[in-house]
Amino acid sequence: MSVEPPSSGRPTGPPSGPLSGPSQPPSGPPSPPPSGGGGGAAPGPEPQHPWWRSVPRIAVLTAVVVAAVVIAVVLSRGDGGTGKSGEVFLQAADKTGPDPFTASTAKDSSVAPATPSPPTESAPSNAVRGVDGGAPGLYGGSRNVAACDVEKQITYLRQVPAKNEAFASVARVEPSGVPAYLRSLTPVQLRLDTRVTNHGYADGAATSYQAVLQAGTAVLVDARGEPRVRCACGNPLTRPVAQQDAPRHTGDAWPSFRSSNVVVVAPSTTIINVFVIYDEDDDEWVARHRGDDGGKDRKTDRPAKPTPSPSLSTPTSPTSPSPPTTPETSTPETSPQTSPTEPTTTEPESPDTPTTQPPPDEDTTTTSQSAPTTPAPQSPVL
């Protein structure tokens, strides 16, 4: 007799029941064959793994693939499905607008708009109306009153270093150089609806969008006459960029808005030492020194062309023009009474009142403000 214990889970003998069954068929299913290494026919398909049990796994894999494709499409769009290509935001002079960098530092937004002189030639639909940043009468303001409070702007940015750093990145200066940069700019007001790239502040970084600023908007302009800061929101400004499609205007429209009157400011070919601006309140012309807050303002003569005439051009590239690489300094300031080419007037005329004297070949101002010497360089599509 063997003393080896039976293995666990294994039968110790033949199946129970008689070896030969009754003559009638059994009432239940046959008992499973005993396990072991005995011979016999090859086993059939495994009944415990039917094919339909793999359907849930196929469905799960399919859902994963579909989800991956959807995510890839959304990420490839870059804007989460909310593209704003071609939109140009209209910003009224007295409105803060979206995503302001700071509270308003504007002191006035009431300059009467000026209508640019119509071009003599017919303009194509995608023509750019460019004006020279040094043209007399391009900007307005009140005598001895700065359109913006520059020191308040500096204080606002200093209080939030992250905003100061974002502002500096747009202005392309060091964060520590923002105060000096702002003090180098000149506070004036737009007299024409002007297209720019506006930069807001959201989620700790600078954003950008195309905008048209209403005439009367208080801005800070640089030494070549280009708008660099919108004072109602503290946002830095840069040149507009091209639109591949026709722009769609959104935002705060104003009754006098006409897309045909919107201009793009091209950089002056020379450094501007003195701006000739129009004081609508007192109906007089004012000479304002670059970087001054109005304390050095003085009266000056009405320019030969009180409203700049836009130069039409058809852009061929979506990039904006680059400023001249070799700046030229304008001539020293001269006294208004010694100007040999323009008579002295005792009462300033309205900028829309035509002059009785024929205009000279070139604009000759009573200050050192540069005058357009060449057509405005090509600018991006409006």
Side-chain angles (χ1 to χ4, degrees):
M1 178 180 295
S2 173
V3 295
E4 183 179 355
S7 60
S8 173
R10 294 178 179 270
T12 57
S16 59
L19 296 177
S20 60
S23 59
Q24 69 271 16
S27 60
S31 301
S35 60
E46 298 181 359
Q48 66 271 24
H49 297 294
W51 64 270
W52 59 83
R53 291 187 180 180
S54 62
V55 171
R57 286 183 292 176
I58 296 176
V60 171
L61 291 176
T62 303
V64 171
V65 173
V66 172
V69 172
V70 172
I71 293 174
V73 170
V74 172
L75 293 179
S76 66
R77 296 183 63 173
D79 58 2
T82 57
K84 299 293 183 182
S85 176
E87 284 192 352
V88 177
F89 193 80
L90 303 181
Q91 292 194 272
D94 59 347
K95 299 294 181 63
T96 300
D99 302 332
F101 260 78
T102 67
S104 176
T105 62
K107 293 184 177 181
D108 191 10
S109 301
S110 60
V111 168
T115 302
S117 304
T120 55
E121 68 271 26
S122 59
S125 58
N126 64 336
V128 173
R129 293 161 178 82
V131 293
D132 190 281
L138 176 60
Y139 297 112
S142 300
R143 183 185 177 192
N144 301 127
V145 177
C148 309
D149 191 330
V150 174
E151 295 304 317
K152 184 181 290 186
Q153 181 71 49
I154 293 172
T155 300
Y156 282 151
L157 291 175
R158 276 178 174 168
Q159 291 173 346
V160 187
K163 288 186 176 182
N164 185 77
E165 185 174 354
F167 185 99
S169 68
V170 177
R172 296 187 177 182
V173 298
E174 293 295 327
S176 60
V178 169
Y181 169 75
L182 290 172
R183 292 186 181 111
S184 72
L185 305 178
T186 307
V188 292
Q189 290 173 271
L190 301 176
R191 294 186 64 225
L192 302 171
D193 293 346
T194 304
R195 169 84 175 273
V196 296
T197 297
N198 200 338
H199 298 266
Y201 182 83
D203 299 327
T207 62
S208 65
Y209 55 94
Q210 297 305 293
V212 173
L213 307 184
Q214 182 187 12
T217 299
V219 294
L220 299 175
V221 299
D222 64 12
R224 294 188 181 274
E226 292 187 273
R228 291 306 182 193
V229 179
R230 183 175 183 265
C231 301
C233 53
N235 290 1
L237 307 174
T238 56
R239 298 178 192 175
V241 297
Q243 299 291 307
Q244 297 301 317
D245 302 321
R248 302 186 303 276
H249 295 110
T250 62
D252 303 316
W254 46 93
S256 61
F257 173 76
R258 301 291 184 275
S259 59
S260 59
N261 290 338
V262 175
V263 300
V264 172
V265 177
S268 171
T269 56
T270 59
I271 297 297
I272 303 170
N273 290 328
V274 177
F275 291 85
V276 175
I277 64 177
Y278 177 65
D279 184 345
E280 191 266 341
D281 293 333
D282 294 331
D283 191 20
E284 64 183 15
W285 292 90
V286 176
R288 175 167 295 175
H289 288 260
R290 170 167 50 93
D292 186 60
D293 61 359
K296 298 179 181 179
D297 285 356
R298 60 177 178 81
K299 292 183 180 181
T300 188
D301 292 331
R302 176 183 182 273
K305 294 180 180 179
T307 301
S309 298
S311 299
L312 295 179
S313 62
T314 303
T316 58
S317 171
T319 58
S320 57
S322 300
T325 56
T326 305
E328 177 185 349
T329 304
S330 57
T331 57
E333 183 179 355
T334 58
S335 171
Q337 288 75 17
T338 59
S339 175
T341 58
E342 186 173 328
T344 302
T345 57
T346 56
E347 291 293 331
E349 299 179 47
S350 169
D352 296 326
T353 304
T355 177
T356 57
Q357 297 293 332
D361 295 336
E362 295 183 359
D363 285 347
T364 304
T365 68
T366 59
T367 71
S368 62
Q369 178 172 3
S370 62
T373 57
T374 58
Q378 288 188 356
S379 304
V381 179
L382 292 177

